[in-house]
Amino acid sequence: MEEYHTLVFDKGIENGEFSGVRYDLQEYFEKYPDAKFEIITDTYNMTTTVMEGYIYRDGQEAVAGIISLWTLGEVIAEF
């Protein structure tokens, strides 16, 4: 992958104010090693994959998140 980052918001994204933090993917994995990411919407084009959804962490309220991947090669997703 050429570039990848994750946006983690302070709550679900609904009407009203929210804030968030942008992490590179490695920082995200280090900060949230046991988090589950539920993909609600995903979009693919020639070089970009964007997944939007909710991040679940043990004992905490779910928050919204966006993962964005930019690559020049083939993307293979295993679930």
Side-chain angles (χ1 to χ4, degrees):
M1 285 183 279
E2 301 297 317
E3 181 180 331
Y4 38 87
H5 64 268
T6 304
L7 302 174
V8 178
F9 300 96
D10 62 348
K11 61 181 179 176
I13 301 176
E14 295 98 15
N15 294 329
E17 294 183 19
F18 61 88
S19 64
V21 177
R22 178 181 165 154
Y23 299 101
D24 72 32
L25 202 55
Q26 185 62 40
E27 288 175 317
Y28 170 78
F29 287 138
E30 290 170 5
K31 185 159 179 77
Y32 303 103
D34 297 323
K36 306 288 187 225
F37 189 89
E38 177 186 14
I39 300 170
I40 303 297
T41 303
D42 51 345
T43 306
Y44 305 90
N45 67 26
M46 292 179 66
T47 58
T48 305
T49 301
V50 178
M51 295 168 277
E52 299 178 29
Y54 288 96
I55 299 169
Y56 297 93
R57 297 170 286 168
D58 286 338
Q60 298 186 18
E61 186 176 332
V63 296
I66 299 172
I67 295 176
S68 179
L69 310 171
W70 183 76
T71 181
L72 294 174
E74 186 175 323
V75 174
I76 300 172
E78 294 184 28
F79 299 94

